[in-house]
Amino acid sequence: MCGIVGYTGPDQVLPIIMEGLRRLEYRGYDSAGVAILDGGLTVVKRAGKLSNLESSLADRGGVAGTVGMGHTRWATHGPPTDGNAHPHVDCTGTMAVIHNGIIENFQDLRDRLIKAGHVLVSDTDTECVAHLLEDAYDGNLVESLRAVVAELTGAYALVVVSTQEPDVIIGVKVSSPLVIGLGRGENMLASDFPALLQRTRTFVPLSERQIAEVRADSVRVVDFAGTEVALQPIEVDWDLAAAEKSGFDDFMLKEIHEQPSAIRDTLRGRVDAKGRLNLDELRMREEQIELVDKVFVVACGTAFHAGLVAKYAIEHWTRLPVEIEIASEFRYRDPVLDANTLTLGISQSGETIDTLEAIRHARSQQSHVIAITNTVGSSIAREADGVLYTHAGPERGVAATKTFLTQMAAMDLLALYLAQTKAMMFPIDVAGWVGELNSLPEQVERVLALDDQVRALAERYQGARDVLFIGRHTGYPVALEGALKLKEISYIHAEGYPAAELKHGPIALVEPGVPVVAIATECHVYPKVLSNIQEVKARGAEVIAVATEGDRDISSLADHVLFVPRTHELLSPVVVTVPLQLLAYHIAKLRGCDVDQPRNLAKSVTVE
């Protein structure tokens, strides 16, 4: 959600901060600001896009200084106004704070500070931290901040600068992501790697309850007890070109077209010299896997839909029962887990707070936890027992595309690995399925060639008020994802349903002209899907079907058909999703919507 960039070094800090914030725009935000140590402390902040902040900075001729920080805010406490934008300062104007996350006990802290005579000028929880630090400061910024965080409840990342110690920036991590970027004669802090890729490829992700003291020539990390922690740098191989549009109009369209290569990268290197799947990063011994008797999947949004697809594959190939839960509800319903339960947490960013808290709960119940994520060194990757990386590369568009397809491919690998280890499938059959997986990139490339046909449909239906998506078996998660994509980037009301459920209520929404998108690819319930299409056609719906190449029956029932390559029904969601992504994209563009940064949404949801 919110973006953080901090820098200390020999160069002018403002251009570095602004470039870093631009690279974090994909996370979603509604205001932005900077704090620069320039002999004093200069803070400039504005509601709205970065361009508003840039205009204000230009009006004052910029701000000189080599130490500073910047922030993009996604509103939680108080509306998006200039006053609520970050950074926030104390009464003396010598300390500034930026913050991602939520401080849950801020109201009690705020009441106490006001009673003590502090003047708070914003509606935010963040401002309390600046005033607490003002009271606690004793000449050592790290130790003073350690005292302050002992009073805070919630999930947050904080970055602080002060005129009292003008050569240092301090960062704190509790649940919300924060990474240190290591340079030569310069060092940095950010909420995500892309912000700093123009300066470094070497990072130190902060772990839970750690404080970073960052100077141009040194970095020191301590835990909340004050004990120094050894740095564990990692190398991030993303390049700057991967974060640019590469000639496409939008990041979303670029990332849709990157899906074949992203799937290849996710599948690459998973088979050993003996032809067996090898997923060492799961860090599970074979005897542990053999004891697994139930699987839980926890995720949010698009990742939840990937988990639904995985449920079909895991149950079919391993015969293990699989429960899937929206991560934000998981720990509140007292789920039954034990040491023989395997919990899978899916999160593109690896920082989704609801999923992070869910896997923490699972671990507290002795469950072995595996993270499926796109981000090396993320919180979920570090806190899980094992990890399966999707290798999709940076995804700048807020609406997930290539990360969804790679999550499904990775979960299929995991399901096959479980079947292989539990001897539920012969090696030759595992190899056959891996071959099927390896054919997916080429099949997705063929689907991308439907773009002109999909654009024509978008022109026809761009004015729709409601759109229904229906599917059965693995087509149901695809219907959910298709509806989500349409509503989140075009703002058209759309819903996904199991096709047979329409007659239990939602069919009341069908009237002449209502578009219904039907997932009608070859599968064992295909005849039943045809019956459900007839039900909506009888009530005047206009049906757009996604069907298998060579299907001779569907054209007589549907008004429009998008034909995709024949794929096994367990793997077909990877292929079938793509035309629905394109449909949502083109409708949104025709409606004049910002497809990369939809309103009210953020890429990484780091607040509950």
Side-chain angles (χ1 to χ4, degrees):
M1 286 197 173
C2 309
I4 285 175
V5 183
Y7 173 88
T8 174
D11 295 339
Q12 285 297 303
V13 68
L14 185 58
I16 296 169
I17 289 174
M18 295 306 292
E19 177 62 19
L21 292 179
R22 275 190 287 272
R23 295 186 181 280
L24 292 178
E25 284 189 290
Y26 69 94
R27 295 168 66 93
Y29 68 100
D30 48 45
S31 58
V34 298
I36 310 275
L37 293 171
D38 55 354
L41 175 63
T42 295
V43 173
V44 182
K45 52 187 185 174
R46 292 292 180 269
K49 295 292 187 181
L50 274 174
S51 57
N52 296 349
L53 175 62
E54 289 171 325
S55 295
S56 294
L57 289 165
D59 289 345
R60 60 184 301 142
V63 184
T66 62
V67 179
M69 61 187 186
H71 186 267
T72 50
R73 175 180 185 252
W74 187 80
T76 56
H77 294 71
T81 63
D82 290 354
N84 285 333
H86 296 206
H88 291 283
V89 298
D90 67 334
C91 292
T92 68
T94 62
M95 295 183 182
V97 177
I98 56 180
H99 162 223
N100 290 356
I102 290 178
I103 296 167
E104 295 173 358
N105 61 332
F106 90 100
Q107 191 62 56
D108 290 341
L109 296 172
R110 182 184 179 90
D111 292 345
R112 192 185 85 197
L113 287 164
I114 291 172
K115 187 174 182 179
H118 288 269
V119 178
L120 279 73
V121 297
S122 78
D123 304 311
T124 69
D125 51 347
T126 309
E127 190 182 5
C128 295
V129 179
H131 293 276
L132 290 171
L133 192 55
E134 175 188 351
D135 286 347
Y137 186 69
D138 61 0
N140 185 312
L141 202 52
V142 169
E143 290 305 306
S144 302
L145 194 53
R146 228 171 32 92
V148 168
V149 296
E151 299 189 65
L152 306 181
T153 300
Y156 52 85
L158 303 168
V159 178
V160 176
V161 295
S162 172
T163 59
Q164 309 282 354
E165 298 180 36
D167 64 334
V168 66
I169 50 178
I170 310 295
V172 181
K173 173 187 164 56
V174 176
S175 294
S176 196
L178 196 63
V179 299
I180 304 167
L182 301 179
R184 294 184 178 181
E186 62 182 16
N187 290 300
M188 296 144 275
L189 283 168
S191 51
D192 205 354
F193 303 120
L196 305 179
L197 286 177
Q198 76 273 25
R199 309 293 296 193
T200 185
R201 296 292 188 278
T202 306
F203 294 88
V204 177
L206 285 183
S207 294
E208 281 304 290
R209 301 174 67 81
Q210 290 186 343
I211 302 175
E213 182 181 52
V214 179
R215 290 183 164 83
D217 58 359
S218 67
V219 171
R220 188 173 74 98
V221 175
V222 299
D223 61 23
F224 278 15
T227 304
E228 189 159 348
V229 177
L231 303 184
Q232 296 182 330
I234 63 172
E235 295 294 324
V236 174
D237 60 4
W238 296 350
D239 59 27
L240 290 177
E244 299 300 335
K245 295 180 182 176
S246 302
F248 289 93
D249 291 340
D250 316 274
F251 284 112
M252 182 179 180
L253 186 60
K254 169 180 176 279
E255 288 154 7
I256 289 172
H257 282 265
E258 287 176 339
Q259 291 179 128
S261 60
I263 297 167
R264 288 188 185 99
D265 289 343
T266 297
L267 298 175
R268 184 176 292 120
R270 306 295 193 177
V271 179
D272 64 20
K274 296 180 180 179
R276 289 172 58 85
L277 277 174
N278 189 347
L279 305 180
D280 286 341
E281 63 266 47
L282 299 185
R283 296 194 287 273
M284 284 190 77
R285 300 187 308 276
E286 289 196 2
E287 53 268 31
Q288 286 180 291
I289 294 176
E290 289 168 358
L291 292 173
V292 169
D293 57 17
K294 184 167 70 171
V295 177
F296 264 106
V297 182
V298 290
C300 302
T302 288
F304 177 77
H305 301 158
L308 282 170
V309 174
K311 173 181 169 69
Y312 290 102
I314 295 170
E315 290 187 337
H316 182 77
W317 288 331
T318 71
R319 309 312 299 161
L320 288 169
V322 179
E323 291 191 38
I324 179 163
E325 186 77 73
I326 293 287
S328 56
E329 295 296 320
F330 178 71
R331 61 195 170 112
Y332 296 113
R333 72 168 181 85
D334 195 20
V336 180
L337 308 98
D338 58 29
N340 293 333
T341 303
L342 176 62
T343 300
L344 309 177
I346 314 173
S347 167
Q348 181 280 136
S349 67
E351 304 294 349
T352 308
I353 189 63
D354 292 317
T355 307
L356 184 58
E357 292 294 345
I359 69 167
R360 286 171 176 163
H361 179 76
R363 290 197 73 194
S364 74
Q365 303 299 306
Q366 310 307 312
S367 173
H368 192 94
V369 171
I370 294 173
I372 295 86
T373 183
N374 191 44
T375 309
V376 176
S378 59
S379 296
I380 286 174
R382 294 198 308 277
E383 294 200 25
D385 298 296
V387 64
L388 184 58
Y389 289 113
T390 54
H391 300 297
E395 186 175 66
R396 297 283 296 273
V398 168
T401 53
K402 63 179 179 174
T403 53
F404 177 56
L405 266 61
T406 55
Q407 284 167 352
M408 290 189 288
M411 296 289 280
D412 285 332
L413 283 174
L414 177 56
L416 289 169
Y417 182 75
L418 294 174
Q420 170 185 280
T421 307
K422 294 176 76 69
M424 295 299 295
M425 191 180 294
F426 290 115
I428 191 172
D429 294 324
V430 174
W433 280 108
V434 172
E436 293 273 359
L437 284 169
N438 285 326
S439 70
L440 291 175
E442 185 272 335
Q443 292 176 337
V444 171
E445 287 170 347
R446 289 168 58 189
V447 176
L448 289 169
L450 296 172
D451 191 64
D452 288 344
Q453 187 179 349
V454 174
R455 186 185 292 111
L457 289 174
E459 290 173 354
R460 180 180 179 88
Y461 293 109
Q462 62 176 299
R465 186 186 65 184
D466 303 286
V467 181
L468 299 180
F469 290 73
I470 60 174
R472 301 188 74 151
H473 196 245
T474 57
Y476 167 49
V478 174
L480 290 173
E481 178 62 13
L484 177 61
K485 283 293 152 287
L486 184 62
K487 59 188 164 189
E488 68 184 344
I489 65 170
S490 76
Y491 317 140
I492 292 174
H493 174 251
E495 299 295 339
Y497 292 102
E501 280 296 296
L502 284 185
K503 55 186 173 287
H504 295 283
I507 203 167
L509 297 172
V510 177
E511 59 185 4
V514 168
V516 175
V517 180
I519 312 307
T521 46
E522 189 176 87
C523 65
H524 72 284
V525 290
Y526 174 72
K528 296 185 181 299
V529 175
L530 294 186
S531 296
N532 299 136
I533 290 174
Q534 290 174 320
E535 290 168 356
V536 296
K537 282 291 293 179
R539 288 155 178 84
E542 294 192 18
V543 174
I544 304 166
V546 181
T548 303
E549 291 174 346
D551 186 337
R552 297 180 179 179
D553 299 324
I554 193 67
S555 296
S556 63
L557 294 177
D559 298 278
H560 313 279
V561 184
L562 297 169
F563 287 107
V564 299
R566 177 172 282 102
T567 313
H568 191 282
E569 61 188 295
L570 289 175
L571 307 184
S572 66
V574 174
V575 176
V576 175
T577 297
V578 178
L580 305 188
Q581 294 171 339
L582 290 170
L583 182 64
Y585 170 82
H586 287 301
I587 287 177
K589 291 289 287 184
L590 289 166
R591 290 167 65 89
C593 302
D594 186 340
V595 296
D596 286 337
Q597 296 181 51
R599 69 188 183 200
N600 302 333
L601 299 180
K603 184 65 176 174
S604 178
V605 182
T606 55
V607 295
E608 289 191 85

